[in-house]
Amino acid sequence: MGTRVLIADDDTGMRLVLRKAVEKADGFTVVGEAEDGDAALRLFDSLRPEMVFLDVEMPLISGIE
């Protein structure tokens, strides 16, 4: 399966770009996507990814928080 990756970005287009980049890289698998910080935290807790691509400026909870 490879390294489990979560993508968190409020921009749909950027999530698509990141997903395509991760899918092309050997050894990485996208296990989830979130459109805001709150969803990112929930998915992180449930999916337990090993890597997160995290936008720092998102609604509800920022990537910095």
Side-chain angles (χ1 to χ4, degrees), residues 20-55:
K20 288 183 180 281
V22 170
E23 288 173 346
K24 285 183 181 179
D26 289 336
F28 296 90
T29 302
V30 175
V31 294
E33 294 183 24
E35 61 185 24
D36 61 56
D38 191 46
L41 279 176
R42 285 193 314 274
L43 286 174
F44 183 85
D45 286 340
S46 66
L47 299 173
R48 306 309 290 175
E50 299 161 294
M51 181 182 292
V52 179
F53 287 95
L54 183 63
D55 182 5

Side-chain angles (χ1 to χ4, degrees), residues 52-64:
V52 179
F53 287 95
L54 183 63
D55 182 5
V56 296
E57 295 181 9
M58 288 188 293
L60 303 180
I61 301 172
S62 76
I64 294 174

